Amino acid sequence: MNNNLIVAETFYSIQGEGHTMGVPAVFLRLGGCNLLCKSDNWVCDSIEVWQKGVKTDFNDVLTDEYVDRLRNGAHLVLTGGEPMLHQKKIVEYIKWFEVEFNFKPIIEIETNGTITPKDGFENYIDYWNCSPKLSNSGESYLRRFNDVALHFINRLPNSMFKFVISKENDVLEVINEFSFLLGNKIWFMPSGENQKQLDESRLMVVENCIKLGVHYSERLHIVIWNKKTGV
């Protein structure tokens, strides 16, 4: 067995988005993605990082300090790119981790919802943070919308759906294309690569959350550090 993962970066911070926002977390960013989100409205905020993934032995994925953080309750956030490209290796790593360190961390996964979980993969994940892409991503409908995967994730009791909103039409798109999602599973998050852009879109997004009765998600890493990744 090749005990390795394609790792782009690891860092310890707080979860900046979604329903576990503010929770201490060790981020494990895996390399590669099946989408390339880029449009006039926004560009993938981690593309510079996930394109540089390196094959890393399981022993070298997380430092002793990070393992101690996880042992004390920090979440392990599997992110990308698209970590679902690595389902088999993730399961192997989690099993190895449990044997090596004698505990299983609380695990979140951040996915675009285009790849269906298989072979019981969902049983290893404590929180599903699904961020389906809208047309503002620049990706075609056929590439960004997987009905089977989205319905599968929607049925999981520990899943949520986070949408990046940059204009009113994005809200209408969510209503029209994702009406099958449970309302209490939906989060709207303002688009923006820096604090200024967030300030420009935040009020519109909040007002739509209030009107539609859905959750609001901030982007704490940008609000606090004005950085897109690594914090």
Side-chain angles (χ1 to χ4, degrees), residues 15-22 110 129 131 160-165 185-192 198 201-202 205-206 209 214-221 223:
Q15 173 60 278
E17 303 173 356
H19 58 168
T20 58
M21 186 170 59
E110 299 184 338
N129 306 327
S131 299
M160 55 85 71
F161 294 83
K162 182 175 79 261
F163 295 92
V164 177
I165 305 297
K185 287 189 174 230
I186 297 175
W187 269 251
F188 285 173
M189 184 174 72
S191 66
L198 281 184
S201 59
R202 180 180 290 110
V205 176
V206 169
C209 288
V214 301
H215 302 275
Y216 173 80
S217 173
E218 195 53 89
R219 310 187 86 166
L220 289 184
H221 48 296
V223 171

PDB file of all heavy atoms in Angstrom, residues 15-22 110 129 131 160-165 185-192 198 201-202 205-206 209 214-221 223:
ATOM      1  N   GLN A  15     -12.126  27.684  11.820  1.00  0.00           N
ATOM      2  CA  GLN A  15     -12.992  27.530  10.650  1.00  0.00           C
ATOM      3  C   GLN A  15     -13.628  28.880  10.354  1.00  0.00           C
ATOM      4  O   GLN A  15     -14.251  29.493  11.220  1.00  0.00           O
ATOM      5  CB  GLN A  15     -14.053  26.467  10.914  1.00  0.00           C
ATOM      6  CG  GLN A  15     -15.127  26.313   9.848  1.00  0.00           C
ATOM      7  CD  GLN A  15     -14.574  25.931   8.482  1.00  0.00           C
ATOM      8  OE1 GLN A  15     -14.114  26.805   7.744  1.00  0.00           O
ATOM      9  NE2 GLN A  15     -14.642  24.645   8.148  1.00  0.00           N
ATOM     10  N   GLY A  16     -13.456  29.357   9.131  1.00  0.00           N
ATOM     11  CA  GLY A  16     -13.900  30.708   8.799  1.00  0.00           C
ATOM     12  C   GLY A  16     -15.261  30.796   8.145  1.00  0.00           C
ATOM     13  O   GLY A  16     -15.778  31.903   7.949  1.00  0.00           O
ATOM     14  N   GLU A  17     -15.867  29.632   7.814  1.00  0.00           N
ATOM     15  CA  GLU A  17     -17.109  29.655   7.053  1.00  0.00           C
ATOM     16  C   GLU A  17     -18.060  28.559   7.542  1.00  0.00           C
ATOM     17  O   GLU A  17     -17.639  27.562   8.129  1.00  0.00           O
ATOM     18  CB  GLU A  17     -16.820  29.417   5.563  1.00  0.00           C
ATOM     19  CG  GLU A  17     -15.851  30.403   4.944  1.00  0.00           C
ATOM     20  CD  GLU A  17     -15.460  30.043   3.525  1.00  0.00           C
ATOM     21  OE1 GLU A  17     -15.879  28.958   3.023  1.00  0.00           O
ATOM     22  OE2 GLU A  17     -14.713  30.826   2.913  1.00  0.00           O
ATOM     23  N   GLY A  18     -19.362  28.761   7.270  1.00  0.00           N
ATOM     24  CA  GLY A  18     -20.341  27.699   7.465  1.00  0.00           C
ATOM     25  C   GLY A  18     -20.781  27.466   8.891  1.00  0.00           C
ATOM     26  O   GLY A  18     -20.612  28.311   9.766  1.00  0.00           O
ATOM     27  N   HIS A  19     -21.351  26.290   9.131  1.00  0.00           N
ATOM     28  CA  HIS A  19     -22.030  26.041  10.402  1.00  0.00           C
ATOM     29  C   HIS A  19     -21.092  25.725  11.551  1.00  0.00           C
ATOM     30  O   HIS A  19     -21.549  25.647  12.697  1.00  0.00           O
ATOM     31  CB  HIS A  19     -23.097  24.943  10.244  1.00  0.00           C
ATOM     32  CG  HIS A  19     -22.599  23.632   9.742  1.00  0.00           C
ATOM     33  ND1 HIS A  19     -23.362  22.494   9.763  1.00  0.00           N
ATOM     34  CD2 HIS A  19     -21.421  23.260   9.196  1.00  0.00           C
ATOM     35  CE1 HIS A  19     -22.697  21.489   9.239  1.00  0.00           C
ATOM     36  NE2 HIS A  19     -21.513  21.936   8.885  1.00  0.00           N
ATOM     37  N   THR A  20     -19.809  25.540  11.316  1.00  0.00           N
ATOM     38  CA  THR A  20     -18.856  25.382  12.416  1.00  0.00           C
ATOM     39  C   THR A  20     -17.904  26.583  12.478  1.00  0.00           C
ATOM     40  O   THR A  20     -16.811  26.480  13.024  1.00  0.00           O
ATOM     41  CB  THR A  20     -18.040  24.083  12.266  1.00  0.00           C
ATOM     42  OG1 THR A  20     -17.352  24.092  11.012  1.00  0.00           O
ATOM     43  CG2 THR A  20     -18.940  22.858  12.356  1.00  0.00           C
ATOM     44  N   MET A  21     -18.341  27.707  11.941  1.00  0.00           N
ATOM     45  CA  MET A  21     -17.523  28.913  11.911  1.00  0.00           C
ATOM     46  C   MET A  21     -17.038  29.275  13.311  1.00  0.00           C
ATOM     47  O   MET A  21     -17.801  29.283  14.272  1.00  0.00           O
ATOM     48  CB  MET A  21     -18.336  30.074  11.321  1.00  0.00           C
ATOM     49  CG  MET A  21     -17.560  31.354  11.096  1.00  0.00           C
ATOM     50  SD  MET A  21     -18.534  32.551  10.121  1.00  0.00           S
ATOM     51  CE  MET A  21     -19.973  32.772  11.160  1.00  0.00           C
ATOM     52  N   GLY A  22     -15.748  29.540  13.436  1.00  0.00           N
ATOM     53  CA  GLY A  22     -15.158  29.918  14.705  1.00  0.00           C
ATOM     54  C   GLY A  22     -14.525  28.778  15.477  1.00  0.00           C
ATOM     55  O   GLY A  22     -13.828  29.011  16.468  1.00  0.00           O
ATOM     56  N   GLU A 110     -14.854  19.770   2.868  1.00  0.00           N
ATOM     57  CA  GLU A 110     -15.360  20.873   2.053  1.00  0.00           C
ATOM     58  C   GLU A 110     -15.333  20.424   0.593  1.00  0.00           C
ATOM     59  O   GLU A 110     -14.264  20.144   0.037  1.00  0.00           O
ATOM     60  CB  GLU A 110     -14.504  22.126   2.265  1.00  0.00           C
ATOM     61  CG  GLU A 110     -14.532  22.586   3.709  1.00  0.00           C
ATOM     62  CD  GLU A 110     -13.788  23.873   3.987  1.00  0.00           C
ATOM     63  OE1 GLU A 110     -12.891  24.237   3.184  1.00  0.00           O
ATOM     64  OE2 GLU A 110     -14.093  24.526   5.006  1.00  0.00           O
ATOM     65  N   ASN A 129     -19.479  20.111   4.411  1.00  0.00           N
ATOM     66  CA  ASN A 129     -19.620  21.508   4.006  1.00  0.00           C
ATOM     67  C   ASN A 129     -19.609  21.554   2.481  1.00  0.00           C
ATOM     68  O   ASN A 129     -18.551  21.583   1.849  1.00  0.00           O
ATOM     69  CB  ASN A 129     -18.468  22.352   4.566  1.00  0.00           C
ATOM     70  CG  ASN A 129     -18.336  22.206   6.073  1.00  0.00           C
ATOM     71  OD1 ASN A 129     -19.324  22.033   6.776  1.00  0.00           O
ATOM     72  ND2 ASN A 129     -17.105  22.270   6.569  1.00  0.00           N
ATOM     73  N   SER A 131     -20.337  23.191  -1.105  1.00  0.00           N
ATOM     74  CA  SER A 131     -20.441  24.515  -1.740  1.00  0.00           C
ATOM     75  C   SER A 131     -20.688  24.351  -3.233  1.00  0.00           C
ATOM     76  O   SER A 131     -19.752  24.426  -4.041  1.00  0.00           O
ATOM     77  CB  SER A 131     -19.159  25.325  -1.511  1.00  0.00           C
ATOM     78  OG  SER A 131     -18.929  25.545  -0.144  1.00  0.00           O
ATOM     79  N   MET A 160     -24.481  20.530   5.082  1.00  0.00           N
ATOM     80  CA  MET A 160     -24.986  21.873   4.841  1.00  0.00           C
ATOM     81  C   MET A 160     -24.523  22.302   3.450  1.00  0.00           C
ATOM     82  O   MET A 160     -23.609  21.722   2.882  1.00  0.00           O
ATOM     83  CB  MET A 160     -24.483  22.861   5.904  1.00  0.00           C
ATOM     84  CG  MET A 160     -22.976  22.939   6.073  1.00  0.00           C
ATOM     85  SD  MET A 160     -22.125  24.060   4.914  1.00  0.00           S
ATOM     86  CE  MET A 160     -22.655  25.634   5.535  1.00  0.00           C
ATOM     87  N   PHE A 161     -25.201  23.324   2.903  1.00  0.00           N
ATOM     88  CA  PHE A 161     -24.889  23.809   1.560  1.00  0.00           C
ATOM     89  C   PHE A 161     -24.631  25.306   1.611  1.00  0.00           C
ATOM     90  O   PHE A 161     -25.487  26.078   2.057  1.00  0.00           O
ATOM     91  CB  PHE A 161     -26.037  23.476   0.601  1.00  0.00           C
ATOM     92  CG  PHE A 161     -26.221  22.008   0.382  1.00  0.00           C
ATOM     93  CD1 PHE A 161     -26.946  21.238   1.284  1.00  0.00           C
ATOM     94  CD2 PHE A 161     -25.640  21.379  -0.703  1.00  0.00           C
ATOM     95  CE1 PHE A 161     -27.103  19.879   1.106  1.00  0.00           C
ATOM     96  CE2 PHE A 161     -25.788  20.007  -0.893  1.00  0.00           C
ATOM     97  CZ  PHE A 161     -26.520  19.255   0.014  1.00  0.00           C
ATOM     98  N   LYS A 162     -23.476  25.693   1.157  1.00  0.00           N
ATOM     99  CA  LYS A 162     -23.048  27.091   1.217  1.00  0.00           C
ATOM    100  C   LYS A 162     -22.895  27.637  -0.198  1.00  0.00           C
ATOM    101  O   LYS A 162     -22.193  27.059  -1.025  1.00  0.00           O
ATOM    102  CB  LYS A 162     -21.722  27.181   1.975  1.00  0.00           C
ATOM    103  CG  LYS A 162     -21.178  28.569   2.157  1.00  0.00           C
ATOM    104  CD  LYS A 162     -19.931  28.558   3.030  1.00  0.00           C
ATOM    105  CE  LYS A 162     -18.695  28.132   2.291  1.00  0.00           C
ATOM    106  NZ  LYS A 162     -18.293  26.744   2.458  1.00  0.00           N
ATOM    107  N   PHE A 163     -23.581  28.762  -0.460  1.00  0.00           N
ATOM    108  CA  PHE A 163     -23.551  29.366  -1.786  1.00  0.00           C
ATOM    109  C   PHE A 163     -22.862  30.720  -1.740  1.00  0.00           C
ATOM    110  O   PHE A 163     -23.171  31.554  -0.880  1.00  0.00           O
ATOM    111  CB  PHE A 163     -24.970  29.533  -2.331  1.00  0.00           C
ATOM    112  CG  PHE A 163     -25.683  28.227  -2.587  1.00  0.00           C
ATOM    113  CD1 PHE A 163     -26.474  27.650  -1.606  1.00  0.00           C
ATOM    114  CD2 PHE A 163     -25.547  27.580  -3.801  1.00  0.00           C
ATOM    115  CE1 PHE A 163     -27.116  26.435  -1.817  1.00  0.00           C
ATOM    116  CE2 PHE A 163     -26.194  26.369  -4.034  1.00  0.00           C
ATOM    117  CZ  PHE A 163     -26.978  25.796  -3.047  1.00  0.00           C
ATOM    118  N   VAL A 164     -21.948  30.939  -2.678  1.00  0.00           N
ATOM    119  CA  VAL A 164     -21.278  32.234  -2.802  1.00  0.00           C
ATOM    120  C   VAL A 164     -22.183  33.155  -3.613  1.00  0.00           C
ATOM    121  O   VAL A 164     -22.515  32.868  -4.765  1.00  0.00           O
ATOM    122  CB  VAL A 164     -19.912  32.085  -3.499  1.00  0.00           C
ATOM    123  CG1 VAL A 164     -19.264  33.458  -3.693  1.00  0.00           C
ATOM    124  CG2 VAL A 164     -19.001  31.185  -2.676  1.00  0.00           C
ATOM    125  N   ILE A 165     -22.586  34.270  -2.983  1.00  0.00           N
ATOM    126  CA  ILE A 165     -23.529  35.193  -3.600  1.00  0.00           C
ATOM    127  C   ILE A 165     -22.814  36.510  -3.931  1.00  0.00           C
ATOM    128  O   ILE A 165     -22.224  37.141  -3.055  1.00  0.00           O
ATOM    129  CB  ILE A 165     -24.716  35.486  -2.652  1.00  0.00           C
ATOM    130  CG1 ILE A 165     -25.404  34.180  -2.217  1.00  0.00           C
ATOM    131  CG2 ILE A 165     -25.701  36.447  -3.317  1.00  0.00           C
ATOM    132  CD1 ILE A 165     -26.038  33.403  -3.337  1.00  0.00           C
ATOM    133  N   LYS A 185     -30.639  23.824   5.745  1.00  0.00           N
ATOM    134  CA  LYS A 185     -29.297  23.379   5.365  1.00  0.00           C
ATOM    135  C   LYS A 185     -28.572  24.406   4.497  1.00  0.00           C
ATOM    136  O   LYS A 185     -27.435  24.161   4.093  1.00  0.00           O
ATOM    137  CB  LYS A 185     -29.365  22.051   4.602  1.00  0.00           C
ATOM    138  CG  LYS A 185     -29.700  20.853   5.478  1.00  0.00           C
ATOM    139  CD  LYS A 185     -29.534  19.562   4.691  1.00  0.00           C
ATOM    140  CE  LYS A 185     -29.731  18.367   5.626  1.00  0.00           C
ATOM    141  NZ  LYS A 185     -28.659  17.392   5.522  1.00  0.00           N
ATOM    142  N   ILE A 186     -29.218  25.531   4.202  1.00  0.00           N
ATOM    143  CA  ILE A 186     -28.659  26.482   3.249  1.00  0.00           C
ATOM    144  C   ILE A 186     -28.013  27.665   3.958  1.00  0.00           C
ATOM    145  O   ILE A 186     -28.600  28.265   4.857  1.00  0.00           O
ATOM    146  CB  ILE A 186     -29.749  26.983   2.275  1.00  0.00           C
ATOM    147  CG1 ILE A 186     -30.289  25.812   1.445  1.00  0.00           C
ATOM    148  CG2 ILE A 186     -29.204  28.072   1.364  1.00  0.00           C
ATOM    149  CD1 ILE A 186     -31.441  26.185   0.543  1.00  0.00           C
ATOM    150  N   TRP A 187     -26.803  27.998   3.516  1.00  0.00           N
ATOM    151  CA  TRP A 187     -26.068  29.187   3.966  1.00  0.00           C
ATOM    152  C   TRP A 187     -25.746  30.050   2.748  1.00  0.00           C
ATOM    153  O   TRP A 187     -25.364  29.517   1.701  1.00  0.00           O
ATOM    154  CB  TRP A 187     -24.744  28.799   4.622  1.00  0.00           C
ATOM    155  CG  TRP A 187     -24.743  28.564   6.093  1.00  0.00           C
ATOM    156  CD1 TRP A 187     -24.192  29.350   7.057  1.00  0.00           C
ATOM    157  CD2 TRP A 187     -25.297  27.443   6.796  1.00  0.00           C
ATOM    158  NE1 TRP A 187     -24.369  28.796   8.307  1.00  0.00           N
ATOM    159  CE2 TRP A 187     -25.042  27.627   8.173  1.00  0.00           C
ATOM    160  CE3 TRP A 187     -25.985  26.298   6.392  1.00  0.00           C
ATOM    161  CZ2 TRP A 187     -25.452  26.717   9.143  1.00  0.00           C
ATOM    162  CZ3 TRP A 187     -26.393  25.394   7.350  1.00  0.00           C
ATOM    163  CH2 TRP A 187     -26.132  25.605   8.696  1.00  0.00           C
ATOM    164  N   PHE A 188     -25.910  31.354   2.858  1.00  0.00           N
ATOM    165  CA  PHE A 188     -25.444  32.295   1.843  1.00  0.00           C
ATOM    166  C   PHE A 188     -24.190  32.976   2.357  1.00  0.00           C
ATOM    167  O   PHE A 188     -24.131  33.388   3.526  1.00  0.00           O
ATOM    168  CB  PHE A 188     -26.495  33.365   1.536  1.00  0.00           C
ATOM    169  CG  PHE A 188     -27.653  32.887   0.695  1.00  0.00           C
ATOM    170  CD1 PHE A 188     -28.744  33.718   0.464  1.00  0.00           C
ATOM    171  CD2 PHE A 188     -27.668  31.625   0.122  1.00  0.00           C
ATOM    172  CE1 PHE A 188     -29.809  33.309  -0.314  1.00  0.00           C
ATOM    173  CE2 PHE A 188     -28.737  31.194  -0.650  1.00  0.00           C
ATOM    174  CZ  PHE A 188     -29.810  32.041  -0.867  1.00  0.00           C
ATOM    175  N   MET A 189     -23.202  33.115   1.493  1.00  0.00           N
ATOM    176  CA  MET A 189     -21.952  33.754   1.862  1.00  0.00           C
ATOM    177  C   MET A 189     -21.579  34.799   0.811  1.00  0.00           C
ATOM    178  O   MET A 189     -21.641  34.512  -0.387  1.00  0.00           O
ATOM    179  CB  MET A 189     -20.839  32.706   1.970  1.00  0.00           C
ATOM    180  CG  MET A 189     -19.509  33.247   2.443  1.00  0.00           C
ATOM    181  SD  MET A 189     -18.311  31.904   2.714  1.00  0.00           S
ATOM    182  CE  MET A 189     -17.964  31.452   0.994  1.00  0.00           C
ATOM    183  N   PRO A 190     -21.232  36.011   1.223  1.00  0.00           N
ATOM    184  CA  PRO A 190     -20.895  37.044   0.238  1.00  0.00           C
ATOM    185  C   PRO A 190     -19.611  36.712  -0.502  1.00  0.00           C
ATOM    186  O   PRO A 190     -18.680  36.130   0.061  1.00  0.00           O
ATOM    187  CB  PRO A 190     -20.742  38.308   1.088  1.00  0.00           C
ATOM    188  CG  PRO A 190     -20.404  37.817   2.454  1.00  0.00           C
ATOM    189  CD  PRO A 190     -21.134  36.518   2.606  1.00  0.00           C
ATOM    190  N   SER A 191     -19.570  37.061  -1.777  1.00  0.00           N
ATOM    191  CA  SER A 191     -18.344  36.881  -2.544  1.00  0.00           C
ATOM    192  C   SER A 191     -17.385  38.014  -2.212  1.00  0.00           C
ATOM    193  O   SER A 191     -17.789  39.084  -1.760  1.00  0.00           O
ATOM    194  CB  SER A 191     -18.647  36.872  -4.045  1.00  0.00           C
ATOM    195  OG  SER A 191     -19.117  38.144  -4.450  1.00  0.00           O
ATOM    196  N   GLY A 192     -16.118  37.765  -2.431  1.00  0.00           N
ATOM    197  CA  GLY A 192     -15.128  38.810  -2.178  1.00  0.00           C
ATOM    198  C   GLY A 192     -13.779  38.228  -1.842  1.00  0.00           C
ATOM    199  O   GLY A 192     -13.684  37.312  -1.014  1.00  0.00           O
ATOM    200  N   LEU A 198     -15.944  42.322   0.289  1.00  0.00           N
ATOM    201  CA  LEU A 198     -16.936  41.770   1.213  1.00  0.00           C
ATOM    202  C   LEU A 198     -17.869  42.857   1.735  1.00  0.00           C
ATOM    203  O   LEU A 198     -19.085  42.643   1.842  1.00  0.00           O
ATOM    204  CB  LEU A 198     -16.249  41.089   2.392  1.00  0.00           C
ATOM    205  CG  LEU A 198     -15.679  39.692   2.178  1.00  0.00           C
ATOM    206  CD1 LEU A 198     -15.124  39.154   3.493  1.00  0.00           C
ATOM    207  CD2 LEU A 198     -16.722  38.737   1.623  1.00  0.00           C
ATOM    208  N   SER A 201     -20.699  43.578  -0.714  1.00  0.00           N
ATOM    209  CA  SER A 201     -21.736  42.580  -1.001  1.00  0.00           C
ATOM    210  C   SER A 201     -22.454  42.065   0.250  1.00  0.00           C
ATOM    211  O   SER A 201     -23.527  41.471   0.148  1.00  0.00           O
ATOM    212  CB  SER A 201     -21.117  41.382  -1.743  1.00  0.00           C
ATOM    213  OG  SER A 201     -20.096  40.779  -0.973  1.00  0.00           O
ATOM    214  N   ARG A 202     -21.904  42.342   1.419  1.00  0.00           N
ATOM    215  CA  ARG A 202     -22.409  41.731   2.649  1.00  0.00           C
ATOM    216  C   ARG A 202     -23.872  42.088   2.935  1.00  0.00           C
ATOM    217  O   ARG A 202     -24.688  41.212   3.229  1.00  0.00           O
ATOM    218  CB  ARG A 202     -21.536  42.140   3.839  1.00  0.00           C
ATOM    219  CG  ARG A 202     -22.004  41.526   5.152  1.00  0.00           C
ATOM    220  CD  ARG A 202     -21.121  41.958   6.308  1.00  0.00           C
ATOM    221  NE  ARG A 202     -19.795  41.366   6.254  1.00  0.00           N
ATOM    222  CZ  ARG A 202     -18.675  42.054   5.993  1.00  0.00           C
ATOM    223  NH1 ARG A 202     -18.726  43.358   5.756  1.00  0.00           N
ATOM    224  NH2 ARG A 202     -17.507  41.433   5.971  1.00  0.00           N
ATOM    225  N   VAL A 205     -26.444  40.314   0.812  1.00  0.00           N
ATOM    226  CA  VAL A 205     -26.535  38.898   1.139  1.00  0.00           C
ATOM    227  C   VAL A 205     -27.307  38.692   2.442  1.00  0.00           C
ATOM    228  O   VAL A 205     -28.188  37.834   2.540  1.00  0.00           O
ATOM    229  CB  VAL A 205     -25.134  38.261   1.226  1.00  0.00           C
ATOM    230  CG1 VAL A 205     -25.235  36.808   1.677  1.00  0.00           C
ATOM    231  CG2 VAL A 205     -24.422  38.348  -0.119  1.00  0.00           C
ATOM    232  N   VAL A 206     -26.994  39.488   3.445  1.00  0.00           N
ATOM    233  CA  VAL A 206     -27.697  39.388   4.732  1.00  0.00           C
ATOM    234  C   VAL A 206     -29.190  39.631   4.551  1.00  0.00           C
ATOM    235  O   VAL A 206     -30.031  38.900   5.114  1.00  0.00           O
ATOM    236  CB  VAL A 206     -27.112  40.385   5.752  1.00  0.00           C
ATOM    237  CG1 VAL A 206     -28.002  40.477   6.981  1.00  0.00           C
ATOM    238  CG2 VAL A 206     -25.706  39.965   6.162  1.00  0.00           C
ATOM    239  N   CYS A 209     -30.798  36.626   3.192  1.00  0.00           N
ATOM    240  CA  CYS A 209     -30.890  35.571   4.206  1.00  0.00           C
ATOM    241  C   CYS A 209     -32.107  35.798   5.102  1.00  0.00           C
ATOM    242  O   CYS A 209     -32.850  34.863   5.413  1.00  0.00           O
ATOM    243  CB  CYS A 209     -29.621  35.544   5.057  1.00  0.00           C
ATOM    244  SG  CYS A 209     -28.166  34.899   4.218  1.00  0.00           S
ATOM    245  N   VAL A 214     -32.755  31.771   5.463  1.00  0.00           N
ATOM    246  CA  VAL A 214     -31.604  30.874   5.385  1.00  0.00           C
ATOM    247  C   VAL A 214     -30.461  31.455   6.218  1.00  0.00           C
ATOM    248  O   VAL A 214     -30.496  32.607   6.640  1.00  0.00           O
ATOM    249  CB  VAL A 214     -31.153  30.660   3.923  1.00  0.00           C
ATOM    250  CG1 VAL A 214     -32.285  30.084   3.105  1.00  0.00           C
ATOM    251  CG2 VAL A 214     -30.644  31.956   3.295  1.00  0.00           C
ATOM    252  N   HIS A 215     -29.447  30.645   6.466  1.00  0.00           N
ATOM    253  CA  HIS A 215     -28.329  31.055   7.305  1.00  0.00           C
ATOM    254  C   HIS A 215     -27.380  31.991   6.555  1.00  0.00           C
ATOM    255  O   HIS A 215     -27.228  31.900   5.333  1.00  0.00           O
ATOM    256  CB  HIS A 215     -27.537  29.837   7.779  1.00  0.00           C
ATOM    257  CG  HIS A 215     -28.342  28.845   8.547  1.00  0.00           C
ATOM    258  ND1 HIS A 215     -28.572  28.958   9.894  1.00  0.00           N
ATOM    259  CD2 HIS A 215     -28.968  27.710   8.149  1.00  0.00           C
ATOM    260  CE1 HIS A 215     -29.298  27.938  10.308  1.00  0.00           C
ATOM    261  NE2 HIS A 215     -29.554  27.164   9.263  1.00  0.00           N
ATOM    262  N   TYR A 216     -26.683  32.832   7.316  1.00  0.00           N
ATOM    263  CA  TYR A 216     -25.632  33.698   6.760  1.00  0.00           C
ATOM    264  C   TYR A 216     -24.274  33.179   7.204  1.00  0.00           C
ATOM    265  O   TYR A 216     -24.070  32.825   8.369  1.00  0.00           O
ATOM    266  CB  TYR A 216     -25.802  35.135   7.238  1.00  0.00           C
ATOM    267  CG  TYR A 216     -24.662  36.047   6.829  1.00  0.00           C
ATOM    268  CD1 TYR A 216     -24.608  36.569   5.543  1.00  0.00           C
ATOM    269  CD2 TYR A 216     -23.641  36.347   7.718  1.00  0.00           C
ATOM    270  CE1 TYR A 216     -23.559  37.386   5.147  1.00  0.00           C
ATOM    271  CE2 TYR A 216     -22.581  37.172   7.338  1.00  0.00           C
ATOM    272  CZ  TYR A 216     -22.556  37.689   6.047  1.00  0.00           C
ATOM    273  OH  TYR A 216     -21.504  38.490   5.661  1.00  0.00           O
ATOM    274  N   SER A 217     -23.336  33.138   6.276  1.00  0.00           N
ATOM    275  CA  SER A 217     -21.964  32.765   6.618  1.00  0.00           C
ATOM    276  C   SER A 217     -21.035  33.921   6.285  1.00  0.00           C
ATOM    277  O   SER A 217     -21.069  34.471   5.184  1.00  0.00           O
ATOM    278  CB  SER A 217     -21.518  31.521   5.839  1.00  0.00           C
ATOM    279  OG  SER A 217     -20.137  31.279   6.067  1.00  0.00           O
ATOM    280  N   GLU A 218     -20.187  34.260   7.229  1.00  0.00           N
ATOM    281  CA  GLU A 218     -19.138  35.235   6.986  1.00  0.00           C
ATOM    282  C   GLU A 218     -17.936  34.523   6.366  1.00  0.00           C
ATOM    283  O   GLU A 218     -17.923  33.295   6.217  1.00  0.00           O
ATOM    284  CB  GLU A 218     -18.764  35.916   8.314  1.00  0.00           C
ATOM    285  CG  GLU A 218     -17.945  37.185   8.195  1.00  0.00           C
ATOM    286  CD  GLU A 218     -18.564  38.220   7.270  1.00  0.00           C
ATOM    287  OE1 GLU A 218     -19.362  39.045   7.715  1.00  0.00           O
ATOM    288  OE2 GLU A 218     -18.203  38.184   6.064  1.00  0.00           O
ATOM    289  N   ARG A 219     -16.909  35.274   5.989  1.00  0.00           N
ATOM    290  CA  ARG A 219     -15.627  34.711   5.561  1.00  0.00           C
ATOM    291  C   ARG A 219     -14.585  35.261   6.528  1.00  0.00           C
ATOM    292  O   ARG A 219     -13.931  36.264   6.264  1.00  0.00           O
ATOM    293  CB  ARG A 219     -15.316  35.101   4.125  1.00  0.00           C
ATOM    294  CG  ARG A 219     -16.438  34.842   3.160  1.00  0.00           C
ATOM    295  CD  ARG A 219     -16.059  35.080   1.722  1.00  0.00           C
ATOM    296  NE  ARG A 219     -15.438  33.880   1.164  1.00  0.00           N
ATOM    297  CZ  ARG A 219     -15.242  33.705  -0.157  1.00  0.00           C
ATOM    298  NH1 ARG A 219     -15.604  34.639  -1.014  1.00  0.00           N
ATOM    299  NH2 ARG A 219     -14.673  32.608  -0.591  1.00  0.00           N
ATOM    300  N   LEU A 220     -14.479  34.614   7.696  1.00  0.00           N
ATOM    301  CA  LEU A 220     -13.702  35.175   8.795  1.00  0.00           C
ATOM    302  C   LEU A 220     -12.230  35.365   8.450  1.00  0.00           C
ATOM    303  O   LEU A 220     -11.586  36.297   8.935  1.00  0.00           O
ATOM    304  CB  LEU A 220     -13.822  34.286  10.031  1.00  0.00           C
ATOM    305  CG  LEU A 220     -15.170  34.275  10.750  1.00  0.00           C
ATOM    306  CD1 LEU A 220     -15.089  33.416  11.995  1.00  0.00           C
ATOM    307  CD2 LEU A 220     -15.610  35.686  11.114  1.00  0.00           C
ATOM    308  N   HIS A 221     -11.670  34.482   7.625  1.00  0.00           N
ATOM    309  CA  HIS A 221     -10.255  34.602   7.281  1.00  0.00           C
ATOM    310  C   HIS A 221      -9.968  35.891   6.522  1.00  0.00           C
ATOM    311  O   HIS A 221      -8.890  36.469   6.649  1.00  0.00           O
ATOM    312  CB  HIS A 221      -9.786  33.384   6.479  1.00  0.00           C
ATOM    313  CG  HIS A 221     -10.682  33.017   5.344  1.00  0.00           C
ATOM    314  ND1 HIS A 221     -11.980  32.600   5.541  1.00  0.00           N
ATOM    315  CD2 HIS A 221     -10.475  32.991   4.014  1.00  0.00           C
ATOM    316  CE1 HIS A 221     -12.534  32.335   4.362  1.00  0.00           C
ATOM    317  NE2 HIS A 221     -11.646  32.570   3.430  1.00  0.00           N
ATOM    318  N   VAL A 223     -12.236  38.653   6.741  1.00  0.00           N
ATOM    319  CA  VAL A 223     -12.645  39.719   7.660  1.00  0.00           C
ATOM    320  C   VAL A 223     -11.517  40.043   8.642  1.00  0.00           C
ATOM    321  O   VAL A 223     -11.223  41.215   8.920  1.00  0.00           O
ATOM    322  CB  VAL A 223     -13.916  39.310   8.442  1.00  0.00           C
ATOM    323  CG1 VAL A 223     -14.210  40.308   9.555  1.00  0.00           C
ATOM    324  CG2 VAL A 223     -15.108  39.211   7.497  1.00  0.00           C
TER     325      VAL A 223
END
